[in-house]
Amino acid sequence: MTTKAFVIGHPIAHSRSPLIHGTWLAEHGIDGSYEAIDVAPDALPAFFERLRGGEFAGGNVTIPHKEAVFALCDEVDPLALSIGAVNTLIARDGRVTGTNTDYLGFLGNLDQGAPNWSDGSKPAIVLGAGGASRAILVALASRSIPVILLNRTRETADRLAQELDGDITVAPIDAFNDVAPHAGLVVNTTSVGMHGSRFENLDLSRLQLGSLVTDIVYSPLVTPLLADAQKLGLQTVDGLGMLLHQAVPGFAAWFGVTPQVSAQLRARIEATLGH
Ligand code: ATR
């Protein structure tokens, strides 16, 4: 029987997930499908009934459903609870489990793009304290890496640091130049970098050579932050790999094969970025 998976969202047309999973299904010759399904918010409960009925092995959840699905899942894993969002559903024996693979995507991307990127001895600077930051903070805590959290709005960062486990110190974004010499990693989790925007007054030359700079923005692939870091000879990893790596655990759970994030897959998705 064909194993079916999906991505649900509203709208859904722009999701790259069907291309990612479709590539892996073909690569492994699996009798399976992965389709994008537009599900409006008021149709979510009925969709979950289909899921419980065994029509699908599971799927991904995207905007605007990442929070709403919490109440519909039979169980949600603790890390997804900390992150505050579910992006992956697994259906088994009439029950639906919600999880979040974004933090694994972040770690998988750095592990592949910059092996030995951290031994945990130097703190990471995380820029931004919004929804995307939560997955990164959970990821860094899982590797026992201390974090210096810098955000434009101080109170948001303070609240996040209190809520999450892990060694998180909050400072204003202006503190970057003072803390940079101690850090081993800089992660941008804000939307700054999209459309070529950039942070003012971040002096990347204050970082030690060998430090790694990464961005979760992947369009453009080389954000101004990454371009500046490259010019200084710092290590960089772009954000596209996080999108690819977050898809791995879902595919493995639904189709029973752990796929690889290959150069060919990357090139295929890169070609859709339109830059
Ligand atoms: P997401 O869920 O994608 O992370 P979000 O919750 O809106 O989006 O969070 C956006 C983050 O980017 C926040 O940390 C925000 O800072 P504030 O808390 O001060 O709003 C940050 N951000 C957005 N635009 C920014 C800018 N121009 N300069 C600095 N930080 C910015």
Side-chain angles (χ1 to χ4, degrees):
M1 204 181 74
T2 305
T3 305
K4 289 169 65 180
F6 57 80
V7 54
I8 51 169
H10 185 69
I12 195 65
H14 297 295
S15 174
R16 292 189 174 84
S17 294
L19 188 55
I20 298 171
H21 290 282
T23 300
W24 286 333
L25 285 171
E27 201 174 294
H28 293 282
I30 291 171
D31 179 13
S33 70
Y34 183 102
E35 57 180 319
I37 306 176
D38 193 313
V39 177
D42 61 1
L44 259 186
F47 186 81
F48 264 70
E49 283 317 305
R50 286 171 67 186
L51 196 45
R52 285 199 182 87
E55 187 177 339
F56 300 98
N60 290 118
V61 179
T62 188
I63 294 164
H65 303 315
K66 286 188 174 194
E67 289 88 28
V69 295
F70 267 93
L72 294 166
C73 286
D74 298 299
E75 56 199 332
V76 173
D77 85 33
L79 287 177
L81 278 172
S82 307
I83 295 169
V86 162
N87 76 339
T88 302
L89 301 172
I90 297 160
R92 235 170 242 154
D93 306 326
R95 290 175 64 78
V96 181
T97 303
T99 180
N100 189 307
T101 62
D102 286 334
Y103 85 98
L104 289 173
F106 173 77
L107 294 172
N109 187 30
L110 296 196
D111 289 343
Q112 187 176 45
N116 309 318
W117 58 275
S118 178
D119 59 6
S121 64
K122 287 192 204 139
I125 296 174
V126 174
L127 303 169
S133 178
R134 301 178 75 103
I136 308 304
L137 295 173
V138 166
L140 293 169
S142 78
R143 296 274 175 99
S144 305
I145 298 169
V147 169
I148 303 167
L149 180 60
L150 308 183
N151 195 46
R152 184 175 57 181
T153 310
R154 173 76 190 233
E155 305 83 73
T156 319
D158 282 334
R159 229 177 301 130
L160 194 54
Q162 273 163 19
E163 239 180 82
L164 294 179
D165 291 335
D167 176 355
I168 305 173
T169 309
V170 176
I173 229 158
D174 301 344
F176 181 89
N177 296 346
D178 293 330
V179 296
H182 312 290
L185 171 70
V186 177
V187 188
N188 175 41
T189 74
T190 75
S191 49
V192 177
M194 282 183 191
H195 317 297
S197 57
R198 63 169 66 234
F199 286 101
E200 301 299 330
N201 311 322
L202 289 196
D203 183 0
L204 296 182
S205 73
R206 305 273 299 160
L207 292 163
Q208 289 176 40
L209 269 182
S211 299
L212 173 65
V213 179
T214 185
D215 207 321
I216 66 160
V217 171
Y218 57 81
S219 184
L221 207 50
V222 181
T223 58
L225 180 76
L226 295 184
D228 291 348
Q230 283 169 2
K231 267 185 232 145
L232 290 164
L234 298 164
Q235 289 193 85
T236 61
V237 171
D238 65 52
L240 180 59
M242 182 171 165
L243 173 75
L244 304 176
H245 281 275
Q246 65 76 30
V248 171
F251 189 94
W254 310 317
F255 299 114
V257 174
T258 301
Q260 294 299 310
V261 174
S262 65
Q264 291 91 315
L265 176 69
R266 237 190 96 92
R268 215 167 165 194
I269 306 302
E270 220 179 299
T272 70
L273 295 180
H275 55 90

